[in-house]
Amino acid sequence: MRSIRFATVALAAAALSLPLVTGVATADPAADQQAAPHSNARFDRLRWAAPEGFVVGTAVAGGGHHLSQDYPDPFTYDAEYRKILGRQFSSVSPENQMKWDSIHPEKDRYDFGQADAIVEFAEKHGQVVRGHTLLWHSQNPAWLTQGNFSKAELREILREHIATVVGRYAGRIQQWDVANEIFDDQGKLRTTDNIWIRELGPGIVADAFRWAHEADPKAKLFFNDYNVESVNAKSNSYYTLVQQLLAQGVPVHGFSVQAHLSTRYGFPGDLENNLRRFDALGLETAVTELDVRMDLPESGVPTAEMERKQADYYQRALSACLAVDGCNSFTIWGFTDKYSWVPVFFEGEGFANVMTDDYTRKPAFYALRDTLKAARQG
Ligand code: G3I
């Protein structure tokens, strides 16, 4: 559905008064106008190599694990990082900057500084934004989790948060991860660790979608999770829930797979089929957080074969999305190993991104670029 893909991005660009360059989805006034529209330099970049209307995104590094590292905020202070962020990508996802603990640090105080900066950067560079996230069991501030609120108070806190945050960026966010990781790996609703579901019952999930839709009727509203790349107990739970919600008229528009993959395990070969069954329900689909980690040898330097295998995983994840009509948004969880969450969470693992610490492109980068180019030409 190339025409629909193009229309989506064209509308976003028109709303932002950005010029549309013939044959490409959006223009990057800051960095790309020097390159002729059809020059090799332009198509060397992921965003321009992509088919019309297909956005290629990255997480924008900041907050979360970065706060405990010995470098300043990457998005704010790393000039090389910002340059690549603007040049290579047509979609950005705040890695942590729109999560509750970042954006709503006290009950009666919001901190929009970092989120505003990302949305403004995106608009300046002709990029769309994926909002992440509104209802999650993790990264909630202590004032919320330890506040001993009544059920009525909690419900009003969530409603007000969604109305405020979604409302602030109304018309400027392409997709929102409304509900993040609401099922466990057995496909059971997180009735213990998710404060909203535990205290307010499963119906709160539908309310979150309704409130988000009221605040921004144009944003596409998603369920987002990890370990749902395959047809399995967890993705089956989403499949069932989505059907129920759609039957009730709840404004659910998308299902997205995070795709935090590891070469320790096989590639989820049924990814395309899994996306297709959600597509058949009328939903958009997306890959939202792809990275491919590996067990590092003692030297810390992967072999050429390990890099090749990683590139193959990246390429296959992209190809699966490209093959499904309503999969228009493909995002990697950061582009450089310099800022990856992986070594912080998984001891002995790393090298998960498409560029090294010093921004050298890996085979995985070229695999993405060439797959995008081929899809564009095909
Ligand atoms: O909450 C503690 C805080 O009490 C403490 O003072 C502080 C000290 O550094 O750490 C805080 O926890 C950190 C948390 O972010 C909140 O800031 C963790 O150490 C830190 O590891 C965590 O990292 C983020 C993680 O989400 C949290 O789950 C990562 O930066 C971020 O990349 C990662 O992103 C998630 C997506 O949102 C959802 N899908 C999975 C993906 C990878 O885990």
Side-chain angles (χ1 to χ4, degrees):
M1 282 283 204
R2 295 286 157 71
S3 56
I4 289 178
R5 285 179 177 159
F6 181 66
T8 306
V9 180
L11 279 174
L16 302 171
S17 304
L18 289 170
L20 272 176
V21 179
T22 310
V24 294
T26 57
D28 178 351
D32 271 327
Q33 290 308 306
Q34 305 94 320
H38 299 292
S39 72
N40 288 334
R42 178 173 287 273
F43 292 120
D44 189 46
R45 298 175 184 175
L46 300 178
R47 62 182 296 175
W48 301 117
E52 289 176 357
F54 186 91
V55 295
V56 184
T58 179
V60 177
H65 73 276
H66 304 286
L67 299 174
S68 58
Q69 306 300 303
D70 61 357
Y71 49 70
D73 181 66
F75 172 68
T76 312
Y77 295 106
D78 186 334
E80 178 74 3
Y81 178 88
R82 288 173 70 90
K83 191 172 86 182
I84 297 170
L85 181 66
R87 287 190 171 178
Q88 292 289 345
F89 300 96
S90 47
S91 177
V92 289
S93 304
E95 183 178 0
N96 294 290
Q97 302 91 331
M98 286 188 184
K99 292 173 181 172
W100 274 72
D101 63 356
S102 291
I103 210 166
H104 199 165
E106 294 170 34
K107 183 169 186 300
D108 298 317
R109 183 172 70 84
Y110 287 86
D111 182 351
F112 292 114
Q114 290 182 301
D116 282 357
I118 292 170
V119 173
E120 283 158 19
F121 180 96
E123 291 177 347
K124 185 174 165 216
H125 292 82
Q127 299 164 320
V128 295
V129 181
R130 293 198 85 259
H132 178 77
T133 176
L134 301 169
L135 183 152
W136 193 23
H137 64 273
S138 182
Q139 283 179 262
N140 290 317
W143 71 259
L144 172 67
T145 54
Q146 293 162 29
N148 291 317
F149 296 108
S150 70
K151 292 187 189 314
E153 285 169 333
L154 268 182
R155 185 177 161 77
E156 175 53 18
I157 286 169
L158 181 62
R159 190 206 61 74
E160 192 269 346
H161 177 94
I162 291 176
T164 303
V165 175
V166 178
R168 182 178 184 88
Y169 301 110
R172 304 165 79 192
I173 300 263
Q174 184 193 38
Q175 302 182 347
W176 263 109
D177 290 332
V178 173
N180 195 42
E181 303 171 5
I182 61 166
F183 290 105
D184 64 20
D185 281 352
Q186 284 68 50
K188 303 269 181 257
L189 262 187
R190 290 184 189 266
T191 51
T192 312
D193 53 358
N194 185 308
I195 182 174
W196 309 109
I197 298 171
R198 183 184 69 228
E199 300 299 325
L200 302 172
I204 194 63
V205 174
D207 286 334
F209 278 89
R210 291 188 187 103
W211 292 329
H213 187 60
E214 272 169 29
D216 184 358
K218 288 191 180 148
K220 299 294 183 187
L221 308 181
F222 276 69
F223 281 106
N224 185 54
D225 212 325
Y226 62 89
N227 286 353
V228 289
E229 293 73 37
S230 287
V231 175
N232 56 28
K234 199 176 189 179
S235 63
N236 284 344
S237 293
Y238 279 103
Y239 189 67
T240 303
L241 176 63
V242 162
Q243 286 175 292
Q244 290 166 349
L245 294 178
L246 291 177
Q248 293 163 26
V250 178
V252 177
H253 309 121
F255 171 75
S256 50
V257 302
Q258 295 180 3
H260 292 291
L261 306 181
S262 164
T263 58
R264 191 187 279 192
Y265 313 109
F267 180 82
D270 55 352
L271 173 58
E272 180 183 326
N273 280 343
N274 191 34
L275 295 176
R276 276 193 198 287
R277 67 175 173 154
F278 285 93
D279 188 80
L281 295 180
L283 293 190
E284 293 193 18
T285 54
V287 174
T288 53
E289 304 183 14
L290 176 63
D291 50 21
V292 183
R293 62 187 188 274
M294 60 181 71
D295 294 290
L296 290 170
E298 254 176 45
S299 65
V301 184
T303 61
E305 172 56 19
M306 292 162 84
E307 291 206 52
R308 192 205 56 72
K309 186 171 180 184
Q310 178 186 54
D312 182 58
Y313 279 38
Y314 269 98
Q315 185 269 320
R316 290 169 76 183
L318 173 59
S319 294
C321 182
L322 283 166
V324 178
D325 275 353
C327 193
N328 304 309
S329 174
F330 174 85
T331 292
I332 56 179
W333 206 237
F335 52 89
T336 167
D337 292 338
K338 189 176 179 182
Y339 299 129
S340 173
W341 69 292
V342 168
V344 181
F345 281 71
F346 301 93
E347 205 183 333
E349 297 180 62
F351 205 75
N353 301 95
V354 300
M355 294 183 190
T356 61
D357 282 4
D358 66 0
Y359 300 109
T360 302
R361 297 168 177 190
K362 299 179 188 175
F365 174 90
Y366 295 109
L368 292 185
R369 187 201 61 187
D370 295 346
T371 304
L372 289 165
K373 264 191 197 175
R376 184 188 179 84
Q377 285 156 7

